[in-house]
Amino acid sequence: MKIAVIGAGSWGTALAQLLAGNGCNVGLWARKPEVVRSVNGSHVNPRYLSDVELSENIVATTSYKDALLRAKAAVIVTPSNLMRGVACALADVVDADFPIIICSKGVEEGSGLLPVEVFEAEMGNASRLAVLSGPNFAAEVIRGIPTGTVIASSDEGTAAFFQELFAAETFRTYVSDDVCGVELCAAFKNVIAIAVGVSYGLGYGDNTAAMLMTRGLAEMSRLVVRCGGQAITCMGLAGTGDLVATCTSEHSRNRRFGRLLAEGGTLDGFIAETHMVAEGALACKTLKTLADRYDVELPITDVVRAIVWEGADPHDVAKTLTSRPLTTEFYGL
């Protein structure tokens, strides 16, 4: 079976290798011709995870049409701000029943739409769409280090198809019907990881990090429930699982970005240094659309947005969290 993987960053490369290991032929779409030449000639992605030899079953291309030719499904792994363009491009190539799973995380700026909603708006037929999320660092997945993930779809058959497709001895897959909850958790945890990174960069300790993670989980739950998701999803792999991993791991680019901010760095500087996108930087801005729409209080998200986009001093703005009025632990649910 051939599967198209759209996006050759670290996560796209890791998922392509996973699928190839499961016996699939993979058409890997990459934006840069030099990546295509290296993957096809040397079986190495020169920009991401370059110390791993890729399967010969992975064939890279800069053409959507070639990547999708004779493919039975597509895996979307591009940055969230490119979602609509990718959906439009694919709509001209695949039919209305073609299965698509979205592995990107975020909320569309302006509209407040989740990635699956963007794809539905451009391509129709939500029943063939699914999303994948969990505590899944690409550097560990590509090396076969055990992990679990959740696959959510409004259609039971679509969820089951992708569950079987991705399942491996070291990649355990679970299914859910809470697409909204899984996608919001995926976007939200990156924002909290930035906050944790800032706190460590300011010299605070593990107590502060634990407070930010648990209060971040409370923020996440409030928004998920108000948007129509299930609170229990926040306790699963896409919620607590991914939140803990992203806030504590050395692999976490959002946590690393937060520490850089506390030390006087910038988003542009981070991107130039790492060639990676810190998805939480955009999410802290786009989540405000949903917070305003549903009247949900997101104090940690507000602080991160002030630091990233409004030039607020991390030392000063961090104090606004501890000076807030006292309240009950769980409110707004």
Side-chain angles (χ1 to χ4, degrees):
M1 180 191 303
K2 179 182 176 181
I3 303 297
V5 175
I6 309 300
S10 57
W11 191 212
T13 301
L15 289 177
Q17 183 81 337
L18 172 69
L19 291 168
N22 283 354
C24 297
N25 294 315
V26 178
L28 178 63
W29 178 87
R31 184 170 57 88
K32 294 183 176 293
E34 59 267 28
V35 172
V36 170
R37 288 193 294 269
S38 182
V39 170
N40 293 340
S42 305
H43 307 297
V44 169
N45 186 327
R47 291 174 64 86
Y48 303 99
L49 305 172
S50 56
D51 58 337
V52 176
E53 182 177 354
L54 300 178
S55 169
E56 295 184 1
N57 289 345
I58 300 172
V59 176
T61 177
T62 57
S63 165
Y64 286 124
K65 187 174 181 180
D66 289 347
L68 291 158
L69 183 65
R70 291 189 290 275
K72 300 301 182 184
V75 180
I76 310 300
V77 207
T78 57
S80 59
N81 61 320
L82 303 179
M83 286 285 100
R84 192 170 293 275
V86 172
C88 288
L90 266 59
D92 295 331
V93 182
V94 303
D95 61 39
D97 296 322
F98 186 78
I100 296 172
I101 188 164
I102 303 160
C103 306
S104 306
K105 301 173 180 181
V107 177
E108 187 178 50
E109 189 170 7
S111 71
L113 293 178
L114 299 170
V116 73
E117 294 173 323
V118 172
F119 270 79
E120 182 182 3
E122 296 296 337
M123 303 185 70
N125 189 13
S127 67
R128 49 80 175 267
L129 301 175
V131 300
L132 180 152
S133 188
N136 309 141
F137 285 115
E140 295 188 3
V141 170
I142 202 168
R143 290 173 174 80
I145 296 174
T147 189
T149 200
V150 60
I151 293 168
S153 176
S154 61
D155 183 84
E156 185 177 345
T158 299
F161 169 77
F162 283 114
Q163 181 181 35
E164 291 295 329
L165 181 69
F166 281 97
E169 184 178 354
T170 59
F171 197 77
R172 186 163 178 80
T173 53
Y174 297 82
V175 294
S176 168
D177 62 359
D178 185 14
V179 179
C180 171
V182 167
E183 288 214 301
L184 279 174
C185 288
F188 215 109
K189 57 90 183 184
N190 288 324
V191 178
I192 306 306
I194 293 176
V196 170
V198 169
S199 75
Y200 278 121
L202 292 175
Y204 300 151
D206 296 337
N207 287 350
T208 309
M211 176 180 67
L212 288 169
M213 282 188 277
T214 50
R215 296 314 301 161
L217 183 60
E219 282 192 27
M220 177 191 293
S221 301
R222 287 197 296 271
L223 188 61
V224 165
V225 170
R226 291 299 294 273
C227 290
Q230 303 166 21
I232 193 66
T233 298
C234 300
M235 298 304 296
L237 288 165
T240 302
D242 208 1
L243 178 73
V244 170
T246 308
C247 288
T248 62
S249 173
E250 61 182 17
H251 298 302
S252 172
R253 56 195 177 199
N254 287 280
R255 182 179 185 269
R256 196 184 336 158
F257 173 55
R259 182 180 284 273
L260 181 71
L261 288 174
E263 296 168 351
T266 65
L267 178 58
D268 289 341
F270 177 81
I271 294 173
E273 177 186 342
T274 64
H275 305 295
M276 293 182 178
V277 176
E279 292 282 14
L282 181 60
C284 69
K285 183 164 59 171
T286 56
L287 284 169
K288 187 177 188 303
T289 302
L290 294 176
D292 291 344
R293 183 180 301 165
Y294 294 102
D295 192 25
V296 181
E297 189 178 38
L298 307 177
I300 298 175
T301 304
D302 292 343
V303 165
V304 172
R305 184 174 61 256
I307 296 172
V308 176
W309 296 106
E310 299 167 13
D313 186 305
H315 293 83
D316 294 335
V317 76
K319 296 176 183 177
T320 65
L321 290 175
T322 53
S323 62
R324 285 166 42 79
L326 301 178
T327 184
T328 57
E329 184 174 15
F330 299 110
Y331 66 92
L333 292 175

